[in-house]
Amino acid sequence: MNVNNAKELKQAIQNKENEILIKDKKLITQLKALNYILKLGPFAVAGLITAIPLVSTTGPLGFAAVSAIAPTTAISASAIVALIVAIGGTIAISLLTDWEIVELPMGIKLKRKSKAS
């Protein structure tokens, strides 16, 4: 399924799609930032999952928590916070735990992880 904005991404995940192709530049930037956290390892992912409720409820405090996890650039932290706000905390957590993020020349592809992995 192809998606062009955060609303369509949220709907595709809720509809239990197995593969989603994102072509929207803003979403691509946000998902690349999220993919960076995934590459940092399980402690970074756990830290981000812990910070997601702060983003949803406090905003600035949540941004500070995400910035501590993704200290490379403010752009990465703000992209992650924007994604969490746009699609919601529960779906953002599912992106970290249930999906593989594959960077492609024409966008980003999300592939649902199989239950066996």
Side-chain angles (χ1 to χ4, degrees):
M1 170 177 220
N2 293 334
V3 299
N4 297 306
N5 57 48
K7 184 178 179 179
E8 288 179 6
L9 175 60
K10 183 176 182 177
Q11 187 170 9
I13 291 171
Q14 289 174 332
N15 289 342
K16 307 226 185 279
E17 296 289 336
N18 288 319
E19 290 190 2
I20 303 169
L21 181 62
I22 293 106
K23 294 183 178 179
D24 177 70
K25 291 184 187 303
K26 184 178 176 182
L27 272 177
I28 289 170
T29 300
Q30 293 168 340
L31 289 167
K32 281 184 178 182
L34 202 60
N35 199 29
Y36 171 76
I37 296 295
L38 288 168
K39 290 178 181 177
L40 289 177
F43 290 116
V45 172
L48 182 56
I49 289 172
T50 302
I52 286 174
L54 292 174
V55 170
S56 300
T57 58
T58 66
L61 184 58
F63 179 81
V66 172
S67 295
I69 297 160
T72 56
T73 65
I75 295 169
S76 294
S78 63
I80 293 170
V81 169
L83 181 65
I84 293 167
V85 170
I87 65 173
T90 304
I91 292 177
I93 290 171
S94 84
L95 285 174
L96 291 165
T97 58
D98 300 339
W99 293 87
E100 179 183 349
I101 300 172
V102 180
E103 294 183 31
L104 303 170
M106 70 254 181
I108 285 191
K109 184 178 193 178
L110 299 176
K111 292 176 66 175
R112 191 176 296 275
K113 293 179 183 175
S114 66
K115 298 291 181 188
S117 18

